[in-house]
C-alpha cells in the first residue's frame, strides 16, 4: 500500500488553469467569445464603421488625384492635395450654381411624370388581369427603403446626411494629408514579423482602390455627359437632370444602371413612343460603351470582380448597412479579395519554402 502511494503522481485537474486541456479549451472559448463580441460591435457600430469606410474611399480618391498631379507639378504633396480639393469644390459649386434653379424645377416635374407613368403602368397591368395598383407599387418601394439597415435610419434625414457627409470629408482629408502616418500606426499594433506582410497588403489595397475609383469616376463622367448630350440632341425632356442622375447612379454597379435606365425610359415615353424608344436606345448605347470599353480598360484590370459577386454584396450590405452599404459594397469586396489573394500567396510561399527545405534535407 505504501509502495503504491509512493509511485502515485498527482496531475492537474480540470479546475486548474495550468492543465494543458483546460488551457486549450479556454483559448478556444476565448476565440469564440471574442468573435461574438466582434459581431455584436459591428451591428452596434454600423454607422461609424460605414462612415470610416466611406472616408477611406474618399481619401483614396484624393490620394489618386494627388499622385496624378505629382506627375505634372513638381510641388509638395500638401499643395497638390489642396489643388485637388479646391478643384472638386469649384466644379460642384459651378455646376449647381448654373443649373440649381432649373434642376429643382425639373426634379419637381420629373416626380409628377414618374407618378403619372407608374399610374399608367398600373392600369395596363390591371387590364392584363394583374391585381396591382400604383399604391401597391409605392408601398413596395417604401417597404424596400424602410427595410434597409441601421445606417439608413441614421442618415435618413437631411441633417443626418449632411452631418455624415461632413464627417466623412473631414476624416478623409486628415487621412489623405499623410496616409503613411496612419498606415504605420496600424502596423505598430501588429507583431514585428507581421508588419512587412501588412505593408504589402496595404499597398496593394491602395493601388486597387485607386484604380477602381478612377474607373468609377471616368464611368460616371462618360455616362452622365453622354446621356445628357444624347438625350438633349433627341429632344427628350429633362435631359440635364437625367444626365446628372445617371452619372451619380453610375457609382453603383449593376443597381445604379437599372435605376437610371428606368428613369430614362419612363421620362422618355412620357414624350411619346418615338421619344421613348430613342431614350431606350441612348441608355443601351451608353451602357455598352461603359461596360465594354471603360470598365475593362480601367476598373476590371485592377479588381476583376464577377458581376454576380458585386450584386450579391450590394444586396447583403444594403440590407445590413443601408444606402452606405450599397455605395461601399464594391470597394469592400475589392479589399477583401486583395487580402485573400495576398494571404494565399504568402501561405503558398511558406509551403514552397517548407517543401524545398524538406527536399534539401532528404537529398542531404
Amino acid at each position: 500500500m505504501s509502495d503504491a502511494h509512493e509511485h502515485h503522481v498527482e496531475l492537474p485537474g480540470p479546475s486548474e488553469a495550468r492543465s494543458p486541456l483546460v488551457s486549450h479549451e479556454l483559448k478556444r472559448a476565448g476565440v469564440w467569445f471574442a468573435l461574438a463580441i466582434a459581431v455584436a460591435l459591428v451591428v452596434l457600430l454600423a454607422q461609424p464603421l460605414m462612415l470610416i469606410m466611406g472616408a477611406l474611399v474618399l481619401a483614396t480618391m484624393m490620394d489618386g488625384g494627388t499622385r496624378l498631379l505629382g506627375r505634372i507639378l513638381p510641388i509638395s504633396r500638401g499643395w497638390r492635395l489642396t489643388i485637388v480639393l479646391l478643384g472638386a469644390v469649384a466644379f460642384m459649386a459651378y455646376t449647381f450654381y448654373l443649373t440649381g434653379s432649373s434642376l429643382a424645377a425639373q426634379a419637381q416635374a420629373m416626380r409628377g411624370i414618374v407618378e403619372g407613368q407608374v399610374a399608367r403602368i398600373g392600369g395596363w397591368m390591371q387590364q392584363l388581369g394583374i391585381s396591382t395598383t400604383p399604391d401597391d407599387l409605392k408601398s413596395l418601394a417604401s417597404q424596400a427603403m424602410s427595410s434597409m439597415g441601421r445606417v439608413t435610419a441614421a442618415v435618413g434625414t437631411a441633417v443626418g446626411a449632411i452631418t455624415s457627409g461632413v464627417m466623412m470629408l473631414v476624416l478623409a482629408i486628415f487621412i489623405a494629408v499623410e496616409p503613411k502616418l496612419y498606415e504605420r500606426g496600424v502596423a505598430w499594433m501588429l507583431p514585428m514579423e507581421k508588419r512587412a506582410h501588412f505593408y504589402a497588403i496595404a499597398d496593394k489595397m491602395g493601388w486597387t482602390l485607386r484604380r477602381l475609383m478612377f474607373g468609377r469616376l471616368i464611368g460616371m463622367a462618360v455616362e452622365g455627359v453622354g446621356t445628357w448630350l444624347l438625350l438633349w440632341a433627341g429632344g427628350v425632356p429633362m435631359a440635364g437632370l437625367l444626365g446628372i442622375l445617371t452619372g451619380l447612379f453610375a457609382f453603383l454597379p449593376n443597381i445604379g444602371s437599372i435605376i437610371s435606365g428606368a428613369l430614362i425610359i419612363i421620362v422618355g415615353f412620357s414624350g411619346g413612343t418615338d421619344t421613348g424608344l430613342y431614350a431606350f436606345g441612348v441608355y443601351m448605347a451608353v451602357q455598352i460603351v461603359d461596360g465594354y470599353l471603360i470598365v475593362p480598360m480601367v476598373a476590371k484590370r485592377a479588381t476583376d470582380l464577377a458581376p454576380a459577386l458585386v450584386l450579391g454584396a450590394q444586396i447583403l450590405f444594403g440590407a445590413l448597412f443601408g444606402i452606405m452599404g450599397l455605395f461601399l459594397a464594391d470597394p469592400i469586396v475589392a479589399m477583401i479579395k486583395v487580402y485573400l489573394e495576398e494571404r494565399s500567396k504568402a501561405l503558398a510561399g511558406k509551403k514552397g519554402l517548407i517543401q524545398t527545405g524538406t527536399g534539401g534535407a532528404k537529398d542531404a
Side-chain angles (χ1 to χ4, degrees):
M1 191 72 178
S2 59
D3 294 339
H5 181 71
E6 290 176 359
H7 290 89
H8 177 69
V9 178
E10 291 288 341
L11 296 176
S15 61
E16 298 192 43
R18 58 183 178 145
S19 169
L21 176 61
V22 174
S23 177
H24 178 67
E25 293 299 326
L26 285 176
K27 289 180 180 179
R28 293 180 59 184
V31 170
W32 285 108
F33 186 67
L35 181 61
I37 293 178
V39 172
L41 288 177
V42 168
V43 174
L44 294 174
L45 303 177
Q47 181 189 2
L49 287 175
M50 286 295 103
L51 291 180
I52 293 173
M53 284 300 306
L56 289 176
V57 172
L58 287 178
T60 302
M61 298 168 69
M62 297 175 188
D63 183 58
T66 305
R67 289 170 180 262
L68 286 177
L69 277 182
R71 300 180 181 180
I72 305 173
L73 300 176
I75 56 178
S76 64
R77 177 183 175 84
W79 286 109
R80 285 183 276 126
L81 179 61
T82 303
I83 293 174
V84 171
L85 293 176
L86 291 178
V89 172
F91 172 76
M92 294 178 63
Y94 180 75
T95 301
F96 285 102
Y97 174 75
L98 288 181
T99 61
S101 58
S102 61
L103 287 180
Q106 289 184 14
Q108 188 65 27
M110 178 181 288
R111 179 179 179 181
I113 290 176
V114 171
E115 290 180 353
Q117 292 293 87
V118 169
R120 291 179 58 185
I121 294 173
W124 176 69
M125 294 175 66
Q126 285 182 344
Q127 291 179 359
L128 295 178
I130 302 175
S131 59
T132 302
T133 63
D135 294 333
D136 295 333
L137 298 177
K138 291 181 182 179
S139 63
L140 180 62
S142 62
Q143 289 177 7
M145 292 301 297
S146 63
S147 64
M148 289 293 186
R150 297 174 59 89
V151 182
T152 304
V155 301
T157 63
V159 176
I162 294 174
T163 304
S164 301
V166 171
M167 292 174 62
M168 280 195 301
L169 182 60
V170 172
L171 183 58
I173 292 174
F174 281 131
I175 296 175
V177 168
E178 197 171 356
K180 292 296 181 181
L181 174 64
Y182 300 97
E183 183 179 330
R184 291 193 298 267
V186 176
W188 176 77
M189 294 184 290
L190 300 175
M192 292 289 291
E193 64 273 11
K194 301 287 186 179
R195 294 182 185 180
H197 184 54
F198 168 76
Y199 285 130
I201 292 178
D203 290 341
K204 185 63 182 295
M205 283 184 176
W207 181 85
T208 302
L209 278 182
R210 286 193 298 271
R211 289 292 296 261
L212 180 64
M213 292 299 104
F214 178 71
R216 195 64 50 79
L217 290 176
I218 295 297
M220 291 172 66
V222 169
E223 290 194 29
V225 176
T227 301
W228 167 51
L229 293 177
L230 291 175
L231 293 179
W232 174 74
V236 179
M238 298 170 236
L241 180 59
L242 288 173
I244 292 177
L245 291 177
T246 301
L248 293 177
F249 282 124
F251 193 86
L252 290 173
N254 305 321
I255 295 178
S257 61
I258 295 174
I259 298 174
S260 60
L263 291 176
I264 290 172
I265 294 172
I266 288 174
V267 175
F269 275 101
S270 67
T273 304
D274 295 338
T275 306
L277 293 175
Y278 176 80
F280 177 74
V282 167
Y283 165 72
M284 293 300 298
V286 170
Q287 293 301 318
I288 288 173
V289 170
D290 181 62
Y292 290 93
L293 183 63
I294 304 299
V295 173
M297 286 180 59
V298 182
K300 194 172 182 179
R301 291 183 182 179
T303 56
D304 194 20
L305 296 175
L309 176 63
V310 176
L311 183 58
Q314 288 175 339
I315 295 173
L316 177 62
F317 282 98
L320 291 176
F321 306 114
I323 302 298
M324 288 291 294
L326 280 177
F327 277 95
L328 299 176
D330 199 18
I332 291 174
V333 172
M335 287 191 289
I336 293 175
K337 181 174 181 287
V338 169
Y339 170 75
L340 294 177
E341 287 179 346
E342 294 299 317
R343 185 172 180 271
S344 64
K345 290 179 183 178
L347 292 176
K350 290 181 180 179
K351 186 177 180 181
L353 290 175
I354 293 174
Q355 291 177 350
T356 304
T358 305
K362 288 181 179 179
D363 294 338

